[in-house]
Amino acid sequence: MGRYIVRRLLAMIPLLLGISFIVFALLNILPGDPVSIMLSSNPHITPDANTIAQLQAQYGLDKPLFTQYLIFLGNLFKGDMGTSMYTQQPVLTAIWERMPATAELAIAALIISVVIAIPVGVISAVRQYSWIDHLCLIGTLIGVSMPSFWLGLLLMLGFSLKLRWLPLSGMGYFSNGVGDVLRHLIMPAFTLGFGMAALLARLTRSSMLEVLGQDFVRTARAKGLSERAVIYRHALRNGLIPIFTVLGVQFGYLLGGSVIVETIFSWPGIGRLAVNSIMNRDLPMVQGTVLVFTLLFILVNLGVDILYAAIDPRIQYD
Amino acid sequence: MEQLETAQQTKLSPFRQSRGWQQFRRNRLATLGLVIVLILWGATLLAEYVATHDPYEMDLANPFLPIGSQGHLLGTDNFGRDVFSRIIWGGRASLTVGIVVVGISASIGLILGVISGYYGGWIDLVIMRITDLFFAFPFFILAIGVIAALGPGLQNVMLVLGLVTWPEYARMVRAKTLALREEPFVESARAAGAKDLRIMFYHILPNCLGPVIVMATLGMANAILAAAGLSFLGMGVQPPEPEWGSMLNEARIYMRTAPHLIIIPGMIIMLAVLGLNFLGDGLRDALDPKMPTARQ
């Protein structure tokens, strides 16, 4: 187990180098000079050749490309992702400040999606081809097809504007009580979790169908266990293992979705920071947010893989 | 592409062909999906005749007319533009996105996948490491990162989504190629003196077509959804050009006064995506009898 973890960590090194190169390339190789792009978006500055040259020197853009990449990489190792071209704040500080908000939203969405998906998937597998299975199938396809930004706006329309039950947007704080946090959290978290719930429910269904056909389930039935015990104690535990492994991949959808959901609900997280910095043409900040999102994604997948090896004794990695 | 399809048809036995068609017809959801797709795309292609108004024509005296108003089937927006006509014309952007994105990603993925699986060795290693790298990014995050560098616009959105989604096809085609490479019909083609290129593109790729069609249908749904999301964030189609995602974005600030401006474009996006998902799901059941999700 220990050796497996070390090997996985070592395998991450070339991957991280590749990712850092792609993110670096976003700013430096693709067409368009970042300094003039940034200046052109700010009406208060009239760019002249002198200012441009000065700024290029400041961001190291006058050096050869490969040198720039090495400097970028060296700075990354020191935890320096550059400074925002817009607010002059260090990129890492800005992202770090918004991390808790995004984490809160993502975890809540994950919980909501699992709570919806597992029962739905189990029920449609147990009652395969029944009307309830068909209903769940249509429901999950609708869930997958529904744009999250539309669902979010519909919820706002219904629960905030019409019924006036929930605050329209923003994030609650624990200093105002847990109720404040939950009332602000529920709509964005549901919006984010809904699409994922649909995907997870489909996976749960097919995974459960496979497990229910296996010998040990027949044995459990044959020894006279109640159907409930067979399904929940024997089948579900094994059926959940493959679902657990895709949770890591699904987390990527969650991160992508958070960009949209945070924007709709004015949620002060990294996703909204990413969108705002794209609007402001703040390329170091865009780089930083893409990099942090990708790192989160990789780390979660690594964690899932390692936990998977720990959960399922059939898997041997050494 | 057409050549590949005819090659596929001649190779399949009539029995399997008819079985797939039977299964597809039995799947009512897939048929419904096909109908939705045909209606929406038909209306979009014939926008000149279907739309009742010029989608850009403003009528500032009549903004925010509700659904079912005189002369405006789905009402009007904040500039008094006819919503029905904007929806119909807006479908062109989504239709184009779906086709172009799948065209880019499937072509890259098919070619790299078949090369990777056929030659193996270091070529395979390099190509697969590149796909790993793409899979390491959360897809939507990478897309907005590249849009940030390239700038907004429909062309860039299509390019980006195409370039970000090809690894899926590459992996699948590679796996298929690895299996097909050892088949007797490939051996016999080689023995008959067929060149590598001919074996790859004439003998192996046509046999990957089933799963590719399924992947392309579902990929088109995802591309439309992602492009609408990007336009909603202001990174795709720019106003005043009609597009479903940007229509939703424009309508956001009038949510209180005119909720129908939110409800209609969102529902159309969902219908378009849902139709493709129904269809893709049904095609998977019909074309790949071994899949565990098969339903009757």
PDB file of all heavy atoms in Angstrom, chain B residues 20 92 287:
ATOM      1  N   GLY B  20     -30.516  -4.271 -35.180  1.00  0.00           N
ATOM      2  CA  GLY B  20     -30.260  -2.964 -34.584  1.00  0.00           C
ATOM      3  C   GLY B  20     -31.436  -2.039 -34.797  1.00  0.00           C
ATOM      4  O   GLY B  20     -31.902  -1.361 -33.883  1.00  0.00           O
ATOM      5  N   ARG B  92     -29.370  28.093 -34.986  1.00  0.00           N
ATOM      6  CA  ARG B  92     -28.280  27.913 -35.949  1.00  0.00           C
ATOM      7  C   ARG B  92     -26.936  27.842 -35.248  1.00  0.00           C
ATOM      8  O   ARG B  92     -26.090  27.038 -35.598  1.00  0.00           O
ATOM      9  CB  ARG B  92     -28.246  29.069 -36.944  1.00  0.00           C
ATOM     10  CG  ARG B  92     -29.397  29.016 -37.879  1.00  0.00           C
ATOM     11  CD  ARG B  92     -28.966  29.257 -39.301  1.00  0.00           C
ATOM     12  NE  ARG B  92     -30.080  28.886 -40.155  1.00  0.00           N
ATOM     13  CZ  ARG B  92     -30.313  29.403 -41.336  1.00  0.00           C
ATOM     14  NH1 ARG B  92     -29.491  30.307 -41.826  1.00  0.00           N
ATOM     15  NH2 ARG B  92     -31.328  29.006 -42.041  1.00  0.00           N
ATOM     16  N   LEU B 287     -26.893  -0.381 -31.168  1.00  0.00           N
ATOM     17  CA  LEU B 287     -25.644  -0.701 -31.869  1.00  0.00           C
ATOM     18  C   LEU B 287     -24.724  -1.589 -31.051  1.00  0.00           C
ATOM     19  O   LEU B 287     -23.847  -2.245 -31.578  1.00  0.00           O
ATOM     20  CB  LEU B 287     -24.907   0.587 -32.230  1.00  0.00           C
ATOM     21  CG  LEU B 287     -25.586   1.479 -33.245  1.00  0.00           C
ATOM     22  CD1 LEU B 287     -24.819   2.762 -33.413  1.00  0.00           C
ATOM     23  CD2 LEU B 287     -25.688   0.758 -34.572  1.00  0.00           C
TER      24      LEU B 287
END
